Amino acid sequence: MYVTVNLLSKRSGEIKSFLESYYQKELDMDKDIEHWIYVYYKPLQAIDLISTVIDNCDKHKMTLLIQVNRGDIHTVTYENCNDIIKALLYLYYREGDTYQSEEM
């Protein structure tokens, strides 16, 4: 399972500023970037970024989109964030159970 995270912003420097704060280091990327994509092969790491974006939505005006595997793309908002995180955890642990039962 993998989760693709997309950040979108029309504000110059917004994504770079957020990511540098999140990773706590300076990043080598253009300041005027409006679209950032990262594929997480460890979904729990995606959950950490998702919750941080939503927790800081008052400071950073960005749109957050996610896609699980090749499924539909979903916009993550303050209102649906908890449900999306629960769904990701459910999928992650369900997939883990399937993998473990196949090994036996």
Side-chain angles (χ1 to χ4, degrees):
M1 178 175 137
Y2 59 92
V3 179
T4 304
V5 176
N6 298 273
L7 294 177
L8 306 164
S9 178
K10 294 289 183 188
R11 287 181 165 177
S12 181
E14 189 74 25
I15 293 174
K16 180 177 170 62
S17 171
F18 169 78
L19 291 173
E20 287 181 340
S21 176
Y22 178 75
Y23 289 114
Q24 298 181 343
K25 65 180 183 179
E26 190 171 326
L27 300 175
D28 184 25
M29 64 189 305
D30 292 338
K31 183 176 181 171
D32 61 346
I33 191 166
E34 294 181 352
H35 188 200
W36 179 82
I37 299 173
Y38 193 83
V39 178
Y40 289 93
Y41 291 96
K42 295 181 179 178
L44 299 181
Q45 292 176 342
I47 290 171
D48 187 42
L49 180 76
I50 291 165
S51 61
T52 302
V53 170
I54 297 303
D55 287 347
N56 292 286
C57 65
D58 58 326
K59 298 176 193 168
H60 300 281
K61 305 300 180 205
M62 298 182 292
T63 300
L64 172 62
L65 306 169
I66 66 160
Q67 181 181 27
V68 177
N69 297 329
R70 294 181 181 255
D72 294 335
I73 296 172
H74 301 278
T75 302
V76 182
T77 65
Y78 182 81
E79 291 77 21
N80 70 6
C81 181
N82 287 336
D83 291 335
I84 287 175
I85 289 172
K86 286 178 192 175
L88 288 172
L89 288 169
Y90 174 78
L91 290 172
Y92 175 74
Y93 286 110
R94 189 183 78 189
E95 184 175 277
D97 290 343
T98 302
Y99 178 73
Q100 289 173 4
S101 65
E102 288 174 358
E103 285 183 336
M104 295 180 165

Coordinates of all heavy atoms in Angstrom, one line a residue, residues 44-98:
L44 N 1.9 5.4 7.6 CA 1.9 6.1 8.9 C 2.7 7.4 8.8 O 2.4 8.4 9.5 CB 2.5 5.2 10.0 CG 1.7 3.9 10.3 CD1 2.4 3.1 11.4 CD2 0.3 4.2 10.5
Q45 N 3.7 7.5 7.9 CA 4.4 8.7 7.7 C 3.5 9.7 7.0 O 3.6 10.9 7.2 CB 5.7 8.5 6.9 CG 6.7 7.7 7.7 CD 8.0 7.4 6.8 OE1 7.9 7.4 5.6 NE2 9.0 7.1 7.5
A46 N 2.7 9.2 6.1 CA 1.7 10.1 5.4 C 0.7 10.7 6.4 O 0.4 11.9 6.3 CB 1.0 9.3 4.3
I47 N 0.3 9.9 7.3 CA -0.7 10.4 8.3 C 0.0 11.5 9.1 O -0.7 12.5 9.4 CB -1.1 9.2 9.2 CG1 -2.0 8.3 8.4 CG2 -1.8 9.7 10.5 CD1 -2.3 7.0 9.1
D48 N 1.2 11.4 9.5 CA 1.9 12.5 10.2 C 1.9 13.8 9.4 O 1.6 14.8 10.0 CB 3.3 12.0 10.6 CG 4.0 13.0 11.5 OD1 3.4 13.5 12.4 OD2 5.2 13.3 11.3
L49 N 2.2 13.7 8.1 CA 2.2 14.9 7.3 C 0.8 15.5 7.2 O 0.6 16.7 7.3 CB 2.8 14.7 5.9 CG 2.8 15.9 5.1 CD1 3.9 16.8 5.5 CD2 3.0 15.5 3.6
I50 N -0.2 14.6 6.9 CA -1.6 15.0 6.8 C -2.0 15.8 8.0 O -2.6 16.8 7.9 CB -2.5 13.8 6.4 CG1 -2.2 13.3 5.1 CG2 -3.9 14.2 6.6 CD1 -2.7 11.9 4.8
S51 N -1.8 15.2 9.2 CA -2.3 15.8 10.4 C -1.6 17.1 10.7 O -2.2 18.1 11.1 CB -2.2 14.9 11.6 OG -0.9 14.5 11.8
T52 N -0.3 17.2 10.3 CA 0.4 18.5 10.5 C -0.1 19.6 9.6 O -0.3 20.7 10.0 CB 1.9 18.2 10.2 OG1 2.4 17.2 11.1 CG2 2.7 19.5 10.5
V53 N -0.4 19.2 8.3 CA -1.0 20.2 7.4 C -2.3 20.7 7.9 O -2.5 21.9 8.0 CB -1.1 19.6 6.0 CG1 -2.0 20.5 5.1 CG2 0.2 19.3 5.3
I54 N -3.2 19.8 8.3 CA -4.5 20.2 8.8 C -4.4 21.0 10.1 O -5.1 22.0 10.3 CB -5.4 19.0 9.0 CG1 -5.6 18.3 7.6 CG2 -6.7 19.4 9.6 CD1 -6.2 19.2 6.5
D55 N -3.5 20.6 11.0 CA -3.3 21.3 12.3 C -2.8 22.7 12.1 O -3.0 23.6 12.9 CB -2.3 20.6 13.2 CG -2.9 19.3 13.8 OD1 -4.2 19.1 13.7 OD2 -2.2 18.5 14.3
N56 N -2.1 23.0 11.0 CA -1.5 24.3 10.7 C -2.3 25.0 9.6 O -1.7 25.9 9.0 CB 0.0 24.1 10.4 CG 0.7 23.7 11.6 OD1 1.0 24.5 12.5 ND2 1.1 22.5 11.7
C57 N -3.5 24.6 9.3 CA -4.2 25.2 8.2 C -4.5 26.7 8.4 O -4.7 27.5 7.4 CB -5.5 24.5 7.9 SG -6.7 24.6 9.2
D58 N -4.4 27.2 9.6 CA -4.6 28.6 9.9 C -3.3 29.4 9.5 O -3.4 30.6 9.2 CB -4.9 28.9 11.3 CG -3.9 28.3 12.3 OD1 -3.3 27.3 12.0 OD2 -3.7 29.0 13.4
K59 N -2.2 28.8 9.5 CA -0.9 29.4 9.1 C -0.5 29.3 7.7 O 0.1 30.1 7.1 CB 0.2 28.8 10.0 CG 0.1 29.0 11.4 CD 1.2 28.3 12.2 CE 0.9 28.2 13.6 NZ 1.8 27.3 14.3
H60 N -0.9 28.1 7.1 CA -0.5 27.8 5.7 C -1.8 27.5 4.9 O -2.5 26.6 5.2 CB 0.4 26.6 5.7 CG 1.7 26.8 6.4 ND1 2.8 27.5 5.9 CD2 2.1 26.4 7.7 CE1 3.7 27.5 6.8 NE2 3.3 26.8 7.9
K61 N -2.0 28.3 3.9 CA -3.2 28.2 3.0 C -2.8 27.3 1.9 O -2.3 27.7 0.8 CB -3.6 29.5 2.5 CG -3.9 30.5 3.7 CD -5.0 30.0 4.6 CE -5.2 31.0 5.7 NZ -5.8 30.5 6.9
M62 N -3.0 26.0 2.1 CA -2.7 25.0 1.0 C -3.9 24.0 0.9 O -4.7 23.8 1.8 CB -1.5 24.2 1.4 CG -0.2 25.0 1.6 SD 1.2 24.0 2.0 CE 0.9 23.5 3.6
T63 N -4.0 23.4 -0.3 CA -4.9 22.4 -0.5 C -4.1 21.1 -0.4 O -3.0 20.9 -0.9 CB -5.5 22.5 -1.9 OG1 -6.2 23.8 -2.0 CG2 -6.5 21.4 -2.2
L64 N -4.7 20.1 0.3 CA -4.1 18.8 0.5 C -5.0 17.7 -0.2 O -6.2 17.6 0.1 CB -4.0 18.5 2.0 CG -3.5 17.2 2.5 CD1 -2.1 16.9 2.0 CD2 -3.6 17.1 4.0
L65 N -4.3 17.0 -1.1 CA -5.0 15.9 -1.8 C -4.3 14.6 -1.5 O -3.0 14.6 -1.4 CB -5.0 16.1 -3.3 CG -5.6 17.4 -3.8 CD1 -5.3 17.6 -5.2 CD2 -7.1 17.5 -3.5
I66 N -5.0 13.5 -1.3 CA -4.3 12.2 -1.2 C -5.0 11.2 -2.1 O -6.1 11.3 -2.6 CB -4.4 11.6 0.3 CG1 -5.9 11.3 0.7 CG2 -3.8 12.6 1.3 CD1 -6.0 10.4 1.8
Q67 N -4.2 10.2 -2.4 CA -4.6 9.0 -3.2 C -4.0 7.8 -2.7 O -2.8 7.7 -2.4 CB -4.2 9.2 -4.7 CG -4.6 8.1 -5.6 CD -4.1 8.4 -7.0 OE1 -3.1 9.0 -7.3 NE2 -4.9 7.8 -8.0
V68 N -4.8 6.8 -2.4 CA -4.3 5.5 -1.9 C -4.2 4.5 -3.1 O -5.1 4.3 -3.8 CB -5.2 4.9 -0.8 CG1 -4.7 3.5 -0.4 CG2 -5.4 5.8 0.3
N69 N -2.9 4.0 -3.3 CA -2.6 3.2 -4.4 C -3.1 3.9 -5.7 O -2.7 5.0 -5.9 CB -3.2 1.8 -4.3 CG -2.6 1.0 -3.1 OD1 -1.5 1.2 -2.7 ND2 -3.4 0.2 -2.5
R70 N -3.9 3.3 -6.5 CA -4.4 3.9 -7.7 C -5.9 4.3 -7.6 O -6.6 4.4 -8.6 CB -4.2 3.0 -8.9 CG -2.7 2.8 -9.2 CD -2.5 1.9 -10.4 NE -1.1 1.6 -10.7 CZ -0.5 2.2 -11.7 NH1 -1.1 3.0 -12.5 NH2 0.8 1.9 -11.9
G71 N -6.3 4.5 -6.4 CA -7.7 4.8 -6.2 C -8.0 6.3 -6.5 O -7.3 7.0 -7.1
D72 N -9.2 6.7 -6.0 CA -9.7 8.0 -6.2 C -8.8 9.0 -5.4 O -8.2 8.7 -4.4 CB -11.1 8.2 -5.7 CG -12.1 7.3 -6.6 OD1 -11.8 7.1 -7.8 OD2 -13.2 7.0 -6.1
I73 N -8.8 10.2 -5.9 CA -8.1 11.3 -5.3 C -9.1 12.0 -4.4 O -10.2 12.3 -4.8 CB -7.5 12.3 -6.3 CG1 -6.5 11.6 -7.1 CG2 -6.9 13.5 -5.6 CD1 -5.9 12.4 -8.3
H74 N -8.7 12.3 -3.1 CA -9.6 12.9 -2.1 C -8.9 14.2 -1.6 O -7.7 14.2 -1.2 CB -9.8 11.9 -0.9 CG -10.5 10.7 -1.4 ND1 -11.8 10.6 -1.6 CD2 -10.0 9.5 -1.6 CE1 -12.1 9.3 -1.9 NE2 -11.0 8.6 -2.0
T75 N -9.7 15.2 -1.4 CA -9.3 16.4 -0.8 C -9.4 16.2 0.7 O -10.5 15.8 1.2 CB -10.2 17.6 -1.2 OG1 -10.1 17.7 -2.6 CG2 -9.7 18.9 -0.5
V76 N -8.4 16.5 1.5 CA -8.4 16.4 2.9 C -8.7 17.8 3.5 O -8.0 18.8 3.2 CB -7.1 15.9 3.5 CG1 -7.1 15.7 5.0 CG2 -6.7 14.6 2.8
T77 N -9.7 17.9 4.3 CA -10.1 19.1 5.0 C -10.1 18.9 6.5 O -10.0 17.8 7.0 CB -11.5 19.5 4.5 OG1 -12.4 18.6 5.0 CG2 -11.6 19.7 3.0
Y78 N -10.3 20.0 7.2 CA -10.4 20.0 8.6 C -11.5 19.1 9.0 O -11.4 18.3 10.0 CB -10.5 21.4 9.2 CG -10.6 21.4 10.7 CD1 -9.4 21.4 11.4 CD2 -11.8 21.5 11.4 CE1 -9.4 21.5 12.8 CE2 -11.8 21.6 12.8 CZ -10.7 21.5 13.5 OH -10.7 21.5 14.8
E79 N -12.6 19.1 8.3 CA -13.8 18.4 8.6 C -13.7 16.9 8.4 O -14.3 16.1 9.1 CB -15.0 18.9 7.8 CG -15.5 20.3 8.2 CD -14.6 21.4 7.7 OE1 -13.8 21.2 6.7 OE2 -14.6 22.5 8.2
N80 N -12.9 16.5 7.4 CA -12.9 15.0 7.1 C -11.5 14.4 7.5 O -11.3 13.2 7.2 CB -13.2 14.8 5.6 CG -12.1 15.2 4.7 OD1 -11.1 15.7 5.0 ND2 -12.4 15.1 3.4
C81 N -10.6 15.1 8.0 CA -9.3 14.7 8.3 C -9.3 13.4 9.2 O -8.6 12.4 8.9 CB -8.5 15.8 9.0 SG -6.8 15.3 9.4
N82 N -10.0 13.5 10.3 CA -10.1 12.3 11.2 C -10.6 11.1 10.6 O -10.1 10.0 10.8 CB -10.9 12.6 12.5 CG -10.2 13.6 13.4 OD1 -8.9 13.7 13.4 ND2 -10.9 14.3 14.2
D83 N -11.6 11.2 9.7 CA -12.2 10.0 9.0 C -11.2 9.5 8.0 O -11.1 8.3 7.9 CB -13.5 10.4 8.3 CG -14.6 10.7 9.3 OD1 -14.6 10.2 10.4 OD2 -15.5 11.5 8.9
I84 N -10.5 10.3 7.4 CA -9.5 9.9 6.4 C -8.3 9.2 7.1 O -7.9 8.1 6.7 CB -9.0 11.1 5.5 CG1 -10.1 11.4 4.5 CG2 -7.7 10.7 4.8 CD1 -9.8 12.6 3.7
I85 N -7.9 9.7 8.2 CA -6.8 9.1 9.0 C -7.3 7.7 9.5 O -6.5 6.7 9.4 CB -6.3 10.0 10.1 CG1 -5.5 11.2 9.5 CG2 -5.4 9.2 11.1 CD1 -5.2 12.2 10.5
K86 N -8.5 7.6 10.0 CA -9.0 6.3 10.4 C -9.1 5.3 9.3 O -8.7 4.2 9.5 CB -10.4 6.5 11.0 CG -10.4 7.2 12.4 CD -11.9 7.3 12.8 CE -12.0 8.2 14.0 NZ -13.4 8.5 14.4
A87 N -9.5 5.8 8.1 CA -9.6 4.9 7.0 C -8.2 4.4 6.5 O -8.0 3.2 6.2 CB -10.2 5.6 5.8
L88 N -7.2 5.3 6.6 CA -5.8 4.9 6.2 C -5.3 3.9 7.2 O -4.6 2.9 6.8 CB -4.9 6.1 6.2 CG -5.1 7.1 5.0 CD1 -4.2 8.3 5.2 CD2 -4.7 6.4 3.7
L89 N -5.5 4.1 8.5 CA -5.1 3.1 9.5 C -5.8 1.8 9.3 O -5.2 0.7 9.4 CB -5.4 3.7 10.9 CG -4.5 4.8 11.4 CD1 -5.0 5.4 12.7 CD2 -3.1 4.3 11.6
Y90 N -7.1 1.8 9.0 CA -7.8 0.6 8.8 C -7.3 -0.2 7.6 O -7.0 -1.4 7.7 CB -9.3 0.9 8.5 CG -10.1 -0.3 8.1 CD1 -10.5 -1.2 9.1 CD2 -10.5 -0.5 6.8 CE1 -11.3 -2.4 8.7 CE2 -11.2 -1.6 6.4 CZ -11.6 -2.6 7.4 OH -12.3 -3.7 7.0
L91 N -7.0 0.5 6.5 CA -6.4 -0.1 5.3 C -5.1 -0.7 5.6 O -4.7 -1.8 5.2 CB -6.4 0.9 4.1 CG -7.7 1.3 3.5 CD1 -7.5 2.4 2.5 CD2 -8.4 0.1 2.8
Y92 N -4.3 0.1 6.3 CA -2.9 -0.3 6.6 C -2.9 -1.6 7.4 O -2.2 -2.5 7.1 CB -2.2 0.8 7.3 CG -0.8 0.4 7.8 CD1 0.3 0.3 6.9 CD2 -0.5 0.2 9.2 CE1 1.5 0.0 7.4 CE2 0.7 -0.2 9.6 CZ 1.7 -0.3 8.7 OH 3.0 -0.6 9.1
Y93 N -3.7 -1.6 8.5 CA -3.7 -2.8 9.4 C -4.4 -4.0 8.7 O -4.0 -5.1 8.9 CB -4.2 -2.5 10.7 CG -3.2 -1.7 11.5 CD1 -3.5 -0.3 11.8 CD2 -2.1 -2.2 12.0 CE1 -2.5 0.4 12.5 CE2 -1.1 -1.5 12.7 CZ -1.3 -0.2 13.0 OH -0.4 0.5 13.6
R94 N -5.4 -3.7 7.9 CA -6.1 -4.8 7.2 C -5.1 -5.4 6.2 O -5.1 -6.6 6.1 CB -7.3 -4.3 6.5 CG -8.2 -5.4 5.9 CD -9.3 -5.0 5.2 NE -8.8 -4.6 3.9 CZ -9.5 -3.9 3.0 NH1 -10.7 -3.5 3.2 NH2 -9.0 -3.6 1.8
E95 N -4.4 -4.6 5.5 CA -3.4 -5.1 4.6 C -2.3 -5.9 5.3 O -1.9 -7.0 4.8 CB -2.8 -4.0 3.8 CG -1.8 -4.5 2.7 CD -1.3 -3.3 1.8 OE1 -2.0 -2.9 0.9 OE2 -0.2 -2.8 2.1
G96 N -1.9 -5.5 6.5 CA -0.9 -6.2 7.3 C -1.4 -7.5 7.7 O -0.7 -8.5 7.6
D97 N -2.7 -7.6 8.0 CA -3.3 -8.9 8.4 C -3.3 -9.9 7.2 O -3.0 -11.0 7.4 CB -4.7 -8.7 8.9 CG -4.8 -8.0 10.3 OD1 -3.7 -8.0 11.0 OD2 -5.8 -7.5 10.7
T98 N -3.7 -9.3 6.1 CA -3.7 -10.2 4.9 C -2.3 -10.7 4.5 O -2.1 -11.9 4.2 CB -4.2 -9.3 3.7 OG1 -5.5 -8.9 4.0 CG2 -4.3 -10.2 2.4

